[in-house]
């Protein structure tokens, strides 16, 4: 028997409004303020995402043997090339996206969190 269910995945960041807008551009939906330092992505299908202000936020390093990436999001897409162009236009940074023979590519969001685009 499960102890709990997944409620929300919360990402620390320096600018929750901007990061929520970035993910709304990828996943759809809209960013809604739930307080001064908290935005939630609403109106899209999937696990709820929220973004909270974290003064002094230090983005994870990827890849790094010295520090942990902490977590990453796998985002399923139909067309890797089209999705790559769109996330780059939204402000993503390529981390490991050069090998176009693979079925996945790694990027960082504007706050430095790694995420993967994965072909379905």
């Amino acid at each position: 028997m499960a102890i709990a269910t997944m409620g929300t995945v919360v990402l620390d960041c320096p600018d929750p409004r901007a990061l929520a807008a970035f993910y709304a551009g990828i996943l759809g939906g809209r960013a809604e303020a739930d307080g001064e330092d908290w935005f939630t992505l609403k109106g899209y299908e999937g696990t709820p995402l929220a973004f909270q202000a974290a003064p002094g936020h230090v983005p994870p390093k990827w890849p790094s043997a010295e520090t942990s990436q902490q977590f990453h999001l796998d985002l399923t897409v139909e067309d890797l090339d089209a999705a790559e162009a769109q996330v780059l236009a939204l402000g993503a940074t390529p981390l490991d996206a050069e090998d176009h023979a693979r079925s996945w590519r790694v990027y960082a969001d504007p706050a430095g969190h790694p995420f993967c685009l994965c072909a379905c």
Side-chain angles (χ1 to χ4, degrees), residues 12-13 24 26 35 43 47 56 59 71 77 88 96 100 105-106 110:
D12 288 354
C13 58
I26 295 173
T47 301
F71 84 103
V77 300
L88 293 175
D96 185 5
H100 287 208
R105 300 176 192 165
V106 185

Short mmCIF file of all heavy atoms in Angstrom, two decimals, residues 12-13 24 26 35 43 47 56 59 71 77 88 96 100 105-106 110:
data_model
loop_
_atom_site.label_atom_id
_atom_site.label_comp_id
_atom_site.label_asym_id
_atom_site.label_seq_id
_atom_site.Cartn_x
_atom_site.Cartn_y
_atom_site.Cartn_z
N ASP A 12 13.25 25.07 -7.23
CA ASP A 12 13.81 26.31 -6.70
C ASP A 12 14.43 27.09 -7.86
O ASP A 12 15.02 26.49 -8.77
CB ASP A 12 14.90 26.02 -5.67
CG ASP A 12 14.35 25.50 -4.37
OD1 ASP A 12 13.12 25.45 -4.20
OD2 ASP A 12 15.17 25.13 -3.50
N CYS A 13 14.32 28.40 -7.81
CA CYS A 13 14.87 29.22 -8.88
C CYS A 13 14.94 30.67 -8.45
O CYS A 13 14.29 31.06 -7.47
CB CYS A 13 14.01 29.08 -10.14
SG CYS A 13 12.28 29.54 -9.91
N ALA A 24 5.65 26.68 -19.26
CA ALA A 24 4.35 26.82 -19.92
C ALA A 24 4.54 26.83 -21.44
O ALA A 24 3.73 26.27 -22.18
CB ALA A 24 3.65 28.09 -19.46
N ILE A 26 6.76 25.15 -23.02
CA ILE A 26 7.07 23.78 -23.43
C ILE A 26 5.86 22.86 -23.25
O ILE A 26 5.50 22.11 -24.15
CB ILE A 26 8.26 23.22 -22.62
CG1 ILE A 26 9.54 24.00 -22.93
CG2 ILE A 26 8.47 21.73 -22.93
CD1 ILE A 26 10.72 23.62 -22.06
N GLY A 35 1.10 33.32 -4.52
CA GLY A 35 1.87 34.06 -3.54
C GLY A 35 2.93 34.85 -4.26
O GLY A 35 3.10 34.74 -5.48
N GLY A 43 -3.35 23.97 -15.98
CA GLY A 43 -4.02 23.85 -17.27
C GLY A 43 -3.28 23.02 -18.29
O GLY A 43 -3.48 23.17 -19.49
N THR A 47 2.01 15.75 -14.14
CA THR A 47 2.28 16.03 -12.73
C THR A 47 2.39 17.53 -12.52
O THR A 47 3.05 18.22 -13.29
CB THR A 47 3.60 15.35 -12.30
OG1 THR A 47 3.47 13.95 -12.51
CG2 THR A 47 3.92 15.62 -10.84
N GLY A 56 19.78 33.23 -3.63
CA GLY A 56 21.08 32.57 -3.64
C GLY A 56 21.07 31.25 -4.38
O GLY A 56 22.00 30.46 -4.24
N PRO A 59 22.53 26.90 -9.55
CA PRO A 59 22.05 25.85 -10.44
C PRO A 59 22.91 24.60 -10.34
O PRO A 59 24.11 24.67 -10.05
CB PRO A 59 22.16 26.47 -11.84
CG PRO A 59 22.95 27.70 -11.70
CD PRO A 59 23.01 28.07 -10.26
N PHE A 71 18.21 16.46 -9.74
CA PHE A 71 17.12 15.78 -10.42
C PHE A 71 17.07 16.30 -11.84
O PHE A 71 17.75 17.26 -12.19
CB PHE A 71 15.77 16.03 -9.71
CG PHE A 71 15.12 17.31 -10.13
CD1 PHE A 71 14.06 17.30 -11.01
CD2 PHE A 71 15.60 18.53 -9.69
CE1 PHE A 71 13.47 18.48 -11.42
CE2 PHE A 71 15.02 19.71 -10.08
CZ PHE A 71 13.94 19.68 -10.95
N VAL A 77 8.58 13.92 -26.45
CA VAL A 77 8.21 14.69 -27.64
C VAL A 77 8.09 13.75 -28.84
O VAL A 77 8.64 12.64 -28.83
CB VAL A 77 9.24 15.81 -27.94
CG1 VAL A 77 9.34 16.78 -26.77
CG2 VAL A 77 10.61 15.23 -28.26
N LEU A 88 15.03 25.86 -27.44
CA LEU A 88 16.14 26.83 -27.56
C LEU A 88 15.58 28.24 -27.73
O LEU A 88 16.10 29.19 -27.14
CB LEU A 88 17.06 26.45 -28.72
CG LEU A 88 17.85 25.16 -28.53
CD1 LEU A 88 18.63 24.83 -29.81
CD2 LEU A 88 18.76 25.22 -27.32
N ASP A 96 23.90 18.41 -23.60
CA ASP A 96 24.38 17.21 -24.28
C ASP A 96 23.36 16.89 -25.37
O ASP A 96 22.55 15.98 -25.22
CB ASP A 96 24.52 16.05 -23.28
CG ASP A 96 25.14 14.81 -23.90
OD1 ASP A 96 25.55 14.86 -25.07
OD2 ASP A 96 25.20 13.78 -23.21
N HIS A 100 22.62 13.40 -32.57
CA HIS A 100 21.26 13.32 -33.09
C HIS A 100 20.85 11.90 -33.44
O HIS A 100 19.73 11.67 -33.88
CB HIS A 100 21.09 14.25 -34.28
CG HIS A 100 21.04 15.69 -33.87
ND1 HIS A 100 20.38 16.64 -34.59
CD2 HIS A 100 21.55 16.35 -32.80
CE1 HIS A 100 20.49 17.82 -34.00
NE2 HIS A 100 21.21 17.66 -32.91
N ARG A 105 18.00 14.08 -25.75
CA ARG A 105 18.96 15.19 -25.72
C ARG A 105 18.79 15.94 -24.40
O ARG A 105 17.68 16.04 -23.89
CB ARG A 105 18.73 16.15 -26.89
CG ARG A 105 18.88 15.44 -28.24
CD ARG A 105 18.56 16.35 -29.40
NE ARG A 105 18.44 15.56 -30.62
CZ ARG A 105 17.90 16.00 -31.73
NH1 ARG A 105 17.43 17.24 -31.80
NH2 ARG A 105 17.82 15.23 -32.78
N VAL A 106 19.89 16.49 -23.90
CA VAL A 106 19.86 17.12 -22.57
C VAL A 106 20.07 18.64 -22.72
O VAL A 106 20.95 19.09 -23.45
CB VAL A 106 20.98 16.54 -21.66
CG1 VAL A 106 20.87 17.13 -20.26
CG2 VAL A 106 20.91 15.03 -21.62
N PRO A 110 16.29 27.98 -18.04
CA PRO A 110 16.94 29.25 -17.74
C PRO A 110 17.51 29.37 -16.32
O PRO A 110 18.41 30.19 -16.10
CB PRO A 110 15.83 30.28 -17.98
CG PRO A 110 14.97 29.65 -19.01
CD PRO A 110 14.95 28.18 -18.63
#
